[in-house]
Amino acid sequence: MSLTCKAAIAKGDGTFSIDSIEVQNPKPDEVLIAVKAAGLCHTDHDSLNWGKPIVMGHEGAGVVTAIGRDVTRVKIGDSVILNWATPCGTCFQCEHENEHICENNSPVVAGSNGYTEGHAHMEGTSLNGTPIERSFNIGTLSEYTLVKESAVVKNPIQDMSFSAASIVSCGVMTGFGSAVNTAQVTENSSAVVLGTGGVGLNVIQGIKVSKASKIIAIDINQTRLDMAVEFGATHTILADKDDKGLLKAAEKVKTLTNGRGADYAFECTAIPALGAAPLAMIRNAGTAVQVSGIEEEVLIDMSLFEWDKKYINPLYGKCNPQKDFPKIIEHYRNGDIMLDEMITRTYTLENLQQAFDDMLSGKNAKGVIVFE
């Protein structure tokens, strides 16, 4: 048995189309999900240029419609959040509690955004009779998706908005986890967030939950800074586009932090020229975190490391999905973090181009594709 549904297909040449795909029943360790909402981020736009056709999307939430015979974590009808860090549980990194960088299943570490053992069987999804990969092993910009059981987390709030749940999948987890899991921000500390888009706002939320006393947001967009205050920033700095390396902004940070610099600084701009900027913001023995995933050559003045500074380049907020997603949802339930308020606008799949345009122009904190 199989079903036909609509999906966004990246062609690999910078363009995409909305096409019909065929999805098969799940194998023993797989789950079929009716996707109800899919968050958008810049990685989805990047996938247009991966040089091959692929079902787009790597953030999502939906309802279980079929399960393989070996699946035990979820049942048909469950509301779930999808997760692209599908750990094998047995490799070196999984055994050392680094499931997010699984050596066998991670589409980033093991597969370079390609097929790995964390992907449902290739023949399970096809376009015009030819098997097609799903972005980050899950491909959420599709009415239905076939995934491994390890890619599914049951939502503790079964009647939660699918739009709010969908953004936990990557954007929220990456930002929140970078503060809580990776940097392990401490109570009464000071922290700087460079760039207050969707990921930056979630870094701010993670810092707030960690009970830091001073949260400094930096951006070139005043509207984004105003939003940063709503999400927990205690101070803001409107940056100048001509401020090379944000060194002038760094002086303002030092003024706010007894002349030393902050305990932590998080780079969330994805601008290579700002790759070293968080080092200029932190005190001696402080921690700089490169959240946005810059993968280009960056020249760094080594004096910025003086003295005893640490620079971390984490993936996915060191996510352990089965533990971290429920923690985030519990914070949401308790009112400690905001999710609904982060969604600027929702779109239908047919309006994906408009959603991309709004994202690239900076209009949205977070845009979400919703399905009927």
Side-chain angles (χ1 to χ4, degrees):
M1 297 291 292
S2 65
L3 59 85
T4 300
C5 67
K6 291 181 180 179
I9 307 297
K11 297 181 179 181
D13 61 358
T15 65
F16 72 90
S17 61
I18 306 300
D19 282 311
S20 292
I21 60 171
E22 191 170 303
V23 183
Q24 305 294 327
N25 281 338
K27 293 287 188 180
D29 63 344
E30 295 174 354
V31 180
L32 179 64
I33 306 294
V35 181
K36 298 300 182 181
L40 286 182
C41 87
H42 285 79
T43 300
D44 299 315
H45 191 263
D46 292 344
S47 73
L48 299 178
N49 293 292
W50 286 353
K52 58 185 175 182
I54 192 167
V55 179
M56 300 170 66
H58 72 291
E59 295 183 351
V63 175
V64 175
T65 62
I67 60 174
R69 65 173 181 268
D70 295 338
V71 172
T72 59
R73 287 177 177 166
V74 294
K75 65 182 185 300
I76 294 173
D78 280 348
S79 175
V80 296
I81 304 171
L82 288 157
N83 152 68
W84 58 261
T86 50
C88 71
T90 60
C91 73
F92 174 88
Q93 294 293 358
C94 284
E95 289 180 347
H96 287 77
E97 299 184 354
N98 291 322
E99 295 187 349
H100 61 300
I101 48 176
C102 173
E103 294 175 333
N104 295 323
N105 289 0
S106 169
V108 177
V109 177
S112 187
N113 298 329
Y115 177 86
T116 73
E117 291 303 312
H119 194 291
H121 70 289
M122 276 293 293
E123 297 75 19
T125 308
S126 59
L127 172 67
N128 299 323
T130 301
I132 185 171
E133 290 178 26
R134 291 186 174 274
S135 176
F136 276 66
N137 291 349
I138 58 176
T140 55
L141 286 173
S142 173
E143 292 175 316
Y144 287 86
T145 185
L146 185 66
V147 299
K148 292 282 192 179
E149 181 184 17
S150 55
V152 175
V153 179
K154 184 175 179 179
N155 193 331
I157 305 178
Q158 284 290 290
D159 60 351
M160 181 177 171
S161 156
F162 287 112
S163 292
S166 73
I167 64 175
V168 172
S169 272
C170 187
V172 173
M173 183 65 240
T174 295
F176 185 90
S178 293
V180 175
N181 295 341
T182 304
Q184 298 180 0
V185 171
T186 57
E187 189 172 352
N188 294 322
S189 61
S190 58
V192 180
V193 180
L194 315 180
T196 55
V199 172
L201 291 176
N202 284 297
V203 172
I204 289 172
Q205 297 208 99
I207 297 168
K208 180 182 177 182
V209 165
S210 300
K211 299 181 179 180
S213 60
K214 189 167 291 183
I215 306 173
I216 305 167
I218 301 177
D219 206 301
I220 60 172
N221 185 320
Q222 184 60 53
T223 300
R224 287 185 180 275
L225 288 177
D226 293 341
M227 185 176 290
V229 172
E230 294 177 20
F231 280 78
T234 60
H235 298 75
T236 63
I237 296 173
L238 182 63
D240 187 335
K241 288 182 179 180
D242 297 324
D243 181 8
K244 186 176 180 180
L246 292 180
L247 296 179
K248 292 179 181 178
E251 290 303 315
K252 294 180 180 179
V253 169
K254 290 178 180 178
T255 299
L256 292 170
T257 53
N258 300 316
R260 294 190 185 91
D263 300 307
Y264 308 90
F266 300 82
E267 189 286 308
C268 306
T269 69
I271 299 172
L274 298 180
L279 285 167
M281 306 286 175
I282 57 174
R283 60 168 171 79
N284 291 343
T287 299
V289 187
Q290 206 287 296
V291 181
S292 64
I294 294 171
E295 293 183 313
E296 297 180 38
E297 184 176 285
V298 176
L299 297 178
I300 296 179
D301 179 352
M302 291 302 292
S303 67
L304 291 174
F305 277 100
E306 295 173 350
W307 295 106
D308 294 272
K309 296 179 181 180
K310 295 180 285 291
Y311 189 104
I312 307 173
N313 186 17
L315 177 66
Y316 202 16
K318 199 176 173 63
C319 175
N320 181 320
Q322 300 299 331
K323 294 180 180 179
D324 286 329
F325 283 11
K327 286 180 182 177
I328 289 172
I329 297 301
E330 190 61 25
H331 282 303
Y332 169 75
R333 189 202 301 269
N334 294 337
D336 300 326
I337 66 173
M338 299 188 294
L339 297 179
D340 303 276
E341 296 85 350
M342 189 168 294
I343 301 168
T344 311
R345 183 178 171 184
T346 60
Y347 309 80
T348 63
L349 187 62
E350 288 72 18
N351 288 321
L352 179 58
Q353 184 59 58
Q354 183 63 57
F356 276 143
D357 291 344
D358 290 348
M359 177 186 72
L360 295 172
S361 67
K363 288 183 178 180
N364 294 343
K366 199 69 177 177
V368 174
I369 302 297
V370 293
F371 298 85
E372 294 296 333

